Amino acid sequence: MDMPIVTAKKMIESKKFSWLDGVYSGSMPEEIEDNVDKTIVLVTEWLNEPTRYANQSFKGWTIGVQVQTFFKLKNQPVSLIDAEIAIAKLFKDNGWQVDDSKTNIKDPDTNQWSQSFLFSKNINLKEGN
């Protein structure tokens, strides 16, 4: 099984959003950190734990990712709210739950807008795992 951030990254990339220029997991490459000419998504892990304890064991695992979208400054081909809805629907349609949606934040240094979601998903473990 892939790590949660890898699973989420692959899911976002497979959708091929026309307004999205790149998806990164774990951390952002240094050359991208201050780039305001691209809309990018950063996926990080926020939850990874056993759940549903019974008979001195656990029967499930809960994974969670934070998805941060950094919107380019100029010529944005999609409204921020439309992009946010598209990301949330993608996760929901793939069995994830929206645990939190942060408000849009404008970086005072770059004037770039960003938004963040927390998603989680429960995984049922098979006997013997």
Side-chain angles (χ1 to χ4, degrees):
M1 175 182 297
D2 284 333
M3 291 178 56
I5 60 174
V6 173
T7 300
K9 180 179 186 277
K10 287 178 180 178
M11 186 175 61
I12 295 167
E13 288 174 330
S14 72
K15 188 65 177 173
K16 299 186 186 327
F17 293 114
S18 62
W19 49 265
L20 186 59
D21 298 307
V23 182
Y24 301 93
S25 59
S27 64
M28 212 174 304
E30 201 172 300
E31 63 272 11
I32 298 296
E33 285 181 2
D34 294 324
N35 189 325
V36 295
D37 297 326
K38 296 180 183 229
T39 296
I40 58 170
V41 165
L42 175 63
V43 181
T44 55
E45 186 175 294
W46 79 273
L47 182 63
N48 192 354
E49 63 187 19
T51 60
R52 296 187 14 250
Y53 287 88
N55 298 327
Q56 299 178 348
S57 185
F58 51 89
K59 308 296 181 190
W61 203 267
T62 301
I63 58 174
V65 294
Q66 178 179 24
V67 176
Q68 295 173 280
T69 306
F70 300 89
F71 295 95
K72 68 181 172 183
L73 289 179
K74 297 179 182 173
N75 302 319
Q76 184 59 254
V78 66
S79 76
L80 274 59
I81 192 69
D82 288 342
E84 294 163 19
I85 291 169
I87 292 281
K89 280 185 176 182
L90 173 66
F91 276 82
K92 183 185 172 300
D93 290 348
N94 283 277
W96 294 73
Q97 173 179 307
V98 179
D99 291 315
D100 197 9
S101 175
K102 304 290 184 188
T103 59
N104 291 295
I105 297 172
K106 188 173 186 179
D107 185 299
D109 296 326
T110 65
N111 290 320
Q112 184 177 32
W113 286 94
S114 66
Q115 194 274 338
S116 182
F117 282 107
L118 295 179
F119 296 107
S120 66
K121 184 175 187 173
N122 293 316
I123 299 169
N124 294 319
L125 299 177
K126 297 177 185 172
E127 290 295 320
N129 282 355

